[in-house]
Amino acid sequence: MQLPVEMRRALSLGDGDTVLLEMVDGEIHVRPLRDAVSRIQARLRDYIPVGVSLSDELIADRRAEAAGE
């Protein structure tokens, strides 16, 4: 499916960008995946202590698991 150019421009979508489609009360809502990810990141930011990198912690956990195998 391809969105009309006016809609793509309004959503700042480029070729190949991923969108989320949601049915709400019989309407289709379209939003860029990057917006949904940004919204989730903003919600979770309050729960992560300053100076903590969750990706660094995940990598360290994976390395520890691999070393134990």
Side-chain angles (χ1 to χ4, degrees):
M1 176 169 115
Q2 188 169 8
L3 294 173
V5 68
E6 298 85 16
M7 289 182 182
R8 292 194 312 269
R9 285 183 184 145
L11 293 171
S12 299
L13 292 173
D15 286 341
D17 285 353
T18 302
V19 296
L20 298 175
L21 299 175
E22 182 179 17
M23 183 74 91
V24 179
D25 297 326
E27 299 176 347
I28 297 175
H29 292 215
V30 179
R31 63 182 167 155
L33 177 63
R34 68 175 176 276
D35 291 355
V37 170
S38 294
R39 186 178 303 166
I40 291 167
Q41 288 172 333
R43 287 182 186 171
L44 294 177
R45 200 165 285 124
D46 292 338
Y47 301 100
I48 302 168
V50 175
V52 172
S53 169
L54 294 181
S55 58
D56 289 344
E57 287 188 7
L58 178 62
I59 291 167
D61 287 347
R62 295 295 182 257
R63 287 183 178 153
E65 287 176 10
E69 292 179 352

